[in-house]
Amino acid sequence: MAMTMAANEGVATPAIPETMKAVIKPRPEPGGTLITTAVPTPGPREVLVKVKATTVCGTDVHLYTWDAWSQGRVKPPLIMGHELGGEVVAVGEQVKTAKIGDRVSAETHVVCGHCYQCRTGLAHVCANTTILGVDIPGCFAEYVVVPEENLWFNSPDLPMEWAPVQEPLGNAVHTVLAGDVAGRTVVVSGCGPTGILACAVAKAAGAGHVIAIDLNAYRLDLARQMGATLTIKADEEDAIARVLKEVPGGVDIVCEMSGNERAMNSAFKMIRAGGRYSILGLPGKPVTLDVGNDIVMRGVTVQGITGRKMMDTWYQVANLLNSRRIDLTPMITHHMSLDQIDEAMALMISGNCGKIVLTP
Ligand SMILES: [Zn+2]
Ligand SMILES: [Zn+2]
């Protein structure tokens, strides 16, 4: 393995085994399998990270259940997982910033650096993005290779199990902070883990009212713990009527985190004319919206949100966590090991969890 010895003088080179445990998507069908495979070798501008904590994301569930989106995108066999915290154990010979022993996380979108978007500060929508654990080998493994430019260096006092959660928290930050928030009213539609994190961001950013809407009581409870000022269980009460009762005229901001067509449409009835409707939730298929009445005539700004701004969002996330303005403790509800992948996925599908930490 090529390493820059000069950059790491005095630091003992950790022993790196030949093989490691990893959870792969072995074949184009539902499931995931724990295997023993070769430890990857970093290229000249990449590092090898020993994974200390990884968290399960909705995207991993898409791959695991092998839904239509995964079938159209993913080419098995592939090591799954993308949210990680770990330690650098080897660096490629052209790596300039990372040293052995650095505690890191990773921006999971690997971008080309050359397209129009990359050259104009919009790398999060790079035309040639590949994603860790979706297109290239991921981090549900003892080791993962990360390009140097994708590394995020963690503060030494950031709890290791918080490190992987920075990635979905980044999605939440990107969504909530895409416009003015302080003193505004916010609806978070859909309280999967990223929706719950969006409640925390809105609260931390000084929103006046943070209304969380979902069907799952467990997750609404978590949303309340993380910062929602009101939770609405949409199958038990009329969510539109309740929001309009709390905030006459409608809220300033909707964060659409569900990707559910019905939820998306009803959230348009909760926003005030001239409000901001930011969509992170990914519908599984095209959806029908009342563009004329809900968007055009009411002057609502609709924006798509993908990934995290590189690396602006990461600085915001780190500042929110290092200051403890956001405390992730309630969010981390389960700890499991890689060989419990089936259990972890079943729990994610049930919805009765926050973030599940998988430890290699
Ligand atoms: Zn994720
Ligand atoms: Zn690009």
Side-chain angles (χ1 to χ4, degrees):
M1 212 163 283
M3 279 177 269
T4 317
M5 298 312 292
N8 294 296
E9 258 172 65
V11 179
T13 304
I16 297 162
E18 306 251 296
T19 61
M20 65 176 187
K21 281 192 264 171
V23 172
I24 63 162
K25 163 62 68 184
R27 287 173 298 278
E29 61 187 32
T33 311
L34 185 72
I35 61 159
T36 299
T37 185
V39 172
T41 305
R45 298 173 65 184
E46 297 174 331
V47 310
L48 184 68
V49 176
K50 183 168 175 42
V51 180
K52 295 285 178 76
T54 166
T55 43
V56 183
C57 177
T59 305
D60 305 316
V61 180
H62 290 302
L63 260 75
Y64 183 83
T65 56
W66 201 239
D67 68 356
W69 175 82
S70 305
Q71 290 173 32
R73 170 121 187 193
V74 179
K75 313 250 176 302
L78 177 82
I79 300 177
M80 295 166 61
H82 59 270
E83 299 173 358
L84 74 112
E87 245 173 58
V88 173
V89 290
V91 299
E93 56 210 353
Q94 290 169 28
V95 168
K96 294 192 174 75
T97 56
K99 308 180 303 301
I100 287 169
D102 285 345
R103 292 159 71 103
V104 294
S105 288
E107 165 53 48
T108 58
H109 288 194
V110 178
V111 300
C112 75
H114 305 293
C115 71
Y116 177 92
Q117 285 76 13
C118 284
R119 287 166 61 97
T120 56
L122 299 170
H124 59 288
V125 282
C126 166
N128 308 304
T129 304
T130 56
I131 303 178
L132 207 68
V134 172
D135 306 303
I136 54 175
C139 64
F140 286 174
E142 292 178 87
Y143 295 89
V144 63
V145 164
V146 178
E148 179 183 17
E149 60 266 30
N150 284 67
L151 289 174
W152 179 257
F153 297 95
N154 291 324
S155 141
D157 63 354
L158 185 80
M160 189 56 87
E161 62 178 20
W162 289 18
V165 185
Q166 293 177 106
E167 199 260 11
L169 179 57
N171 288 128
V173 162
H174 190 185
T175 309
V176 177
L177 302 186
D180 209 12
V181 180
R184 305 291 180 194
T185 49
V186 181
V187 153
V188 175
S189 164
C191 290
T194 311
I196 299 170
L197 291 168
C199 295
V201 175
K203 176 87 182 299
H209 212 357
V210 182
I211 304 173
I213 306 174
D214 202 87
L215 300 174
N216 181 301
Y218 183 100
R219 285 186 162 165
L220 286 173
D221 179 54
L222 212 45
R224 197 175 305 111
Q225 290 179 55
M226 291 300 292
T229 54
L230 171 71
T231 58
I232 300 175
K233 195 163 180 303
D235 52 351
E236 285 181 358
E237 67 180 313
D238 180 340
I240 298 169
R242 183 68 197 276
V243 169
L244 296 179
K245 182 170 166 251
E246 293 295 325
V247 186
V251 295
D252 300 303
I253 301 157
V254 165
C255 297
E256 212 308 307
M257 316 299 273
S258 77
N260 176 282
E261 182 168 4
R262 243 183 94 194
M264 291 179 94
N265 274 291
S266 58
F268 274 109
K269 311 293 182 198
M270 301 170 188
I271 196 167
R272 68 164 166 80
R276 161 165 74 94
Y277 193 113
S278 301
I279 308 177
L280 182 80
L282 261 190
K285 57 178 175 41
V287 299
T288 302
L289 301 176
D290 188 348
V291 173
N293 287 314
D294 286 345
I295 301 173
V296 178
M297 295 305 289
R298 302 184 65 238
V300 169
T301 301
V302 178
Q303 57 183 176
I305 304 281
T306 189
R308 294 143 299 276
K309 287 190 198 160
M310 291 168 214
M311 296 295 281
D312 193 23
T313 304
W314 284 87
Y315 285 98
Q316 293 176 299
V317 165
N319 289 330
L320 287 166
L321 293 180
N322 292 338
S323 64
R324 300 299 190 266
R325 199 164 269 272
I326 290 179
D327 177 0
L328 291 178
T329 311
M331 251 342 263
I332 298 178
T333 55
H334 296 80
H335 293 84
M336 296 188 186
S337 60
L338 277 185
D339 57 4
Q340 290 173 287
I341 188 70
D342 292 321
E343 217 177 304
M345 289 295 170
L347 191 56
M348 280 291 283
I349 292 165
S350 80
N352 294 330
C353 60
K355 293 304 284 187
I356 302 171
V357 174
L358 291 180
T359 312

